[in-house]
Amino acid sequence: DTGVSQDPRHKITKRGQNVTFRCDPISEHNRLYWYRQTLGQGPEFLTYFQNEAQLEKSRLLSDRFSAERPKGSFSTLEIQRTEQGDSAMYLCASSSGAPSSYGYTFGSGTRLTVV
Amino acid sequence: QQQVKQSPQSLIVQKGGIPIINCAYENTAFDYFPWYQQFPGKGPALLIAIRPDVSEKKEGRFTISFNKSAKQFSLHIMDSQPGDSATYFCAARVTGGGNKLTFGTGTQLKVEL
């Protein structure tokens, strides 16, 4: 499978716990994006990487959120001290960054439920 | 601040009908306008996209109409089928914005037999 893979697909956690999600982009894509989608809304940008460099972070990404992309391959998104408001679908996407190829390929997402 | 406004929120059409979904934007720095289709439990999938120097783009049964002066664009689905039942999102990208997309709030389409 050459698509974007996200793990886990579902995560239920208790409020206050830390969680970490993983994203494996399409191998030849140098750009990787994290978005958050709540029920009935469109995806909202969180952050993006070009290779290993994190180039932009949304103000939605509070201090409790951190993302990494070591060696420019897979990426992890960690949420510390989870709150009920963090419950959402976390989507990862990748793109080649070439002007002729602006389209993203999204993964199927990790659905987080904070209880 | 919602930069891309999408309507309607939901839409029901009969098989063979032509659903139309509309989006409007304010930011003239947007230079790329894709549409995404999302099925339950899946991530959004790119359907079709347009640049503002083109007024219409057609791919298969999907057509984007773009009105630059009105800052509006719309998706038309010709000969709609039950398999087209999904949520559709318009989006927009800012020039030099690292390919970051701003999405509309989505339209839930149901195509009935």
Side-chain angles (χ1 to χ4, degrees):
Chain A
D1 188 281
T2 58
V4 177
S5 299
Q6 291 190 246
D7 184 69
R9 290 295 311 277
H10 303 275
K11 178 71 177 179
I12 300 174
T13 191
K14 290 184 178 180
R15 190 174 51 188
Q17 297 293 305
N18 298 345
V19 293
T20 300
F21 311 139
R22 176 181 171 121
C23 171
D24 287 272
I26 292 172
S27 57
E28 59 266 29
H29 284 179
N30 62 352
R31 289 188 177 183
L32 186 148
Y33 311 82
W34 285 99
Y35 281 76
R36 181 171 68 187
Q37 185 177 25
T38 53
L39 203 61
Q41 298 296 316
E44 293 177 294
F45 172 79
L46 292 178
T47 188
Y48 94 95
F49 293 83
Q50 181 157 314
N51 300 313
E52 66 275 12
Q54 187 174 19
L55 295 186
E56 187 173 348
K57 293 195 298 185
S58 164
R59 61 180 182 273
L60 291 175
L61 216 64
S62 75
D63 292 345
R64 297 183 297 105
F65 288 70
S66 63
E68 295 182 341
R69 191 183 182 198
K71 301 179 182 178
S73 56
F74 71 92
S75 176
T76 57
L77 178 68
E78 181 183 17
I79 309 175
Q80 296 182 327
R81 304 181 304 281
T82 53
E83 301 172 357
Q84 287 190 320
D86 297 331
S87 295
M89 174 80 86
Y90 290 84
L91 293 163
C92 176
S94 68
S95 74
S96 69
S100 61
S101 178
Y102 293 132
Y104 290 177
T105 300
F106 277 95
S108 292
T110 293
R111 179 163 295 285
L112 173 66
T113 303
V114 182
V115 297
Chain B
Q1 180 186 3
Q2 185 184 350
Q3 296 193 56
V4 181
K5 294 185 179 180
Q6 184 171 347
S7 63
Q9 188 175 358
S10 62
L11 190 54
I12 300 174
V13 300
Q14 297 297 308
K15 179 177 179 289
I18 305 176
I20 300 172
I21 304 170
N22 301 298
C23 285
Y25 64 97
E26 292 294 326
N27 190 346
T28 55
F30 287 143
D31 69 346
Y32 168 74
F33 301 87
W35 285 88
Y36 283 81
Q37 179 189 56
Q38 186 175 31
F39 292 103
K42 299 291 186 183
L46 179 64
L47 203 55
I48 186 173
I50 197 167
R51 299 288 301 257
D53 52 349
V54 176
S55 61
E56 184 176 281
K57 183 173 182 181
K58 189 175 295 186
E59 285 185 5
R61 295 183 295 108
F62 300 94
T63 299
I64 300 178
S65 297
F66 192 88
N67 185 331
K68 187 175 181 178
S69 61
K71 291 187 280 188
Q72 296 175 347
F73 58 110
S74 59
L75 176 70
H76 301 232
I77 306 176
M78 307 301 176
D79 187 28
S80 57
Q81 301 296 314
D84 295 329
S85 298
T87 300
Y88 292 81
F89 294 95
C90 61
R93 187 196 85 123
V94 172
T95 306
N99 210 18
K100 177 180 70 179
L101 293 176
T102 299
F103 284 82
T105 51
T107 296
Q108 196 165 3
L109 172 67
K110 184 175 182 181
V111 181
E112 295 181 334
L113 288 168

